Structure formats: structure tokens, C-alpha cells
Amino acid sequence: MSTPLPPFPKRQEPTDEPVLMELAPRGDAPQLRADAARNRARLLEAAARLVEERGVANVTMEAVACAASVGKGTVFRRFGDRTGLLMALLDHTEQRFQTGFFSGPPPLGPGASPVERLHAFGCATLRQASERLDLYLAAEPDASRRFSSAPYRVRLMHVTMLLRQAVPAADTDLIAQTLMGYLEPALINHLTRQCGMPLERLESGWHDLVNRSTCSI
């Protein structure tokens, strides 16, 4: 999550072989020193334990510092702010999810048609967000960073790539943003918790949205 990504590419003509983004550009991100890596792991372990014991809403930078027996300044230097800390907690889960849609088995990974992969991607995203909804909501960047965060851009590029293969004549950049909006944690929270919709209804709605977005005009 913390690895900077290259700028979103300009629209290109679709090809038969998708070009997938590297999650960690080679040689660009310096490796943490062994002691720094251990300290980071200890802080994240303490934060994860607090999430389990107290819930996300009660996890503060001060509480993590106390649980890890370090100064508060150490936590701020390592993660920047509370959002940075919570995003780091989601990092491992996000990397596994990205591996699934980049190189995992079909239909989420390569080997299925672009439309089948879009269907699988949305359902997998909905399920993952639902299982960790409080953490996703708490870690959601502010408006100035929401659409430029690394996880969002990786997912957006993947959806755009599949759309370019499925409907090359369409404005796939805008359609991709529309599809991504359906998968926003804030909307999932509103529909499932505030409106009482079951997750199965959201998955059915995703299938309908993908079918309407990819049908031939």
C-alpha cells in the first residue's frame, strides 16, 4: 500500500495480451533495515491486537505506542498518521487480493473471459470489504487522496484493462470509475448496515451492472 505507483496511463488501444502493473517497482523502494522492519512488525502486531480487543474505533496512535512499549513519536514517524497505520494493517490482505486477480486461478485470475473476470472481481471485492468493513472505513483516505491511493489505482487499472478487452469501443476509463464506485466501502456500509440489504443482493446488483456495462451497443 505504501509503495508509490506510476501515473495512470493514457488510454491505449486494447491488445490481446494484457500488460499488468508491477505492484512494487524494482529498485525503487529501499528495504527497511532489519531493526526497523522488526519495529514495524511489532507495531502492526500491537495494532492488530488492539483491533481484535477494542474494535477499530478505539485504536489510536497513543494506544498502539503504549501496547508496543514505544514512544508515540515512533508510531507517527513510521506511519505518518492514524490512516497510514490502518492502511498498513490492510496491506497484507490487499497484496494477497491483488495476487489473486493478477495471477490467481480463474475466473478471478487469468484464464477466463474479461467479462467473467469482472464478475468475479466485483464479488470478491464485495466479500472482502464486508468482512473487514470497519477497518476499511477507518483506513479510507480523505477526499484529496481517495482516488490516488495505491490500492485504488491498482484495482482501477485492472478493471479498466478488462473493460478495454470486453468493450474496446466504449469510454472504458469512465465506465471503470462507475464500476469502482459501486465497490466503495462507504456505499457497502450504507447498503448493508443502514439499509439492511444482504450481501447477496449487492452481488446480484454487481452482475447486473457488469452485464449492462459490457453489452454490445
Side-chain angles (χ1 to χ4, degrees):
M1 279 190 178
S2 59
T3 302
L5 296 175
F8 194 89
K10 295 181 180 179
R11 179 181 174 86
Q12 300 174 346
E13 292 302 315
T15 61
D16 293 333
E17 294 295 331
V19 178
L20 300 182
M21 171 186 288
E22 291 185 7
L23 297 183
R26 297 171 188 163
D28 288 348
Q31 296 295 317
L32 291 175
R33 298 191 317 272
D35 58 339
R38 285 193 296 269
N39 288 338
R40 185 178 190 275
R42 188 172 71 170
L43 290 170
L44 289 175
E45 181 182 347
R49 187 167 62 250
L50 289 174
V51 169
E52 291 293 326
E53 295 173 354
R54 306 181 186 179
V56 175
N58 296 310
V59 175
T60 64
M61 304 291 271
E62 293 83 354
V64 171
C66 182
S69 300
V70 300
K72 183 172 65 174
T74 300
V75 186
F76 278 96
R77 284 193 297 272
R78 179 59 59 196
F79 302 106
D81 55 19
R82 184 173 182 271
T83 296
L85 170 65
L86 296 178
M87 289 184 70
L89 275 178
L90 286 171
D91 184 65
H92 180 62
T93 298
E94 181 65 24
Q95 287 185 14
R96 285 191 301 170
F97 183 51
Q98 290 175 7
T99 299
F101 63 73
F102 275 137
S103 58
L108 182 61
S113 72
V115 174
E116 289 174 322
R117 294 184 69 188
L118 279 170
H119 282 293
F121 173 82
C123 289
T125 302
L126 287 168
R127 289 191 293 269
Q128 176 167 285
S130 178
E131 291 170 359
R132 300 168 179 82
L133 192 51
D134 287 334
L135 189 52
Y136 272 104
L137 291 172
E140 190 169 70
D142 58 36
S144 65
R145 295 185 292 170
R146 183 169 302 164
F147 302 111
S148 60
S149 68
Y152 183 88
R153 290 167 62 189
V154 170
R155 294 184 183 198
L156 176 63
M157 290 186 70
H158 179 66
V159 170
T160 304
M161 178 197 72
L162 294 177
L163 285 169
R164 288 175 182 170
Q165 295 176 4
V167 282
D171 190 340
T172 52
D173 292 334
L174 287 180
I175 296 175
Q177 294 282 9
T178 300
L179 292 176
M180 288 291 291
Y182 189 91
L183 304 175
E184 282 287 304
L187 179 60
I188 296 171
N189 176 68
H190 172 68
L191 294 177
T192 58
R193 294 180 175 178
Q194 298 175 344
C195 298
M197 294 185 186
L199 187 62
E200 292 76 12
R201 182 175 176 184
L202 271 65
E203 292 179 351
S204 178
W206 172 260
H207 291 312
D208 183 52
L209 183 60
V210 169
N211 287 336
R212 292 175 186 273
S213 300
T214 58
C215 67
S216 300
I217 300 177

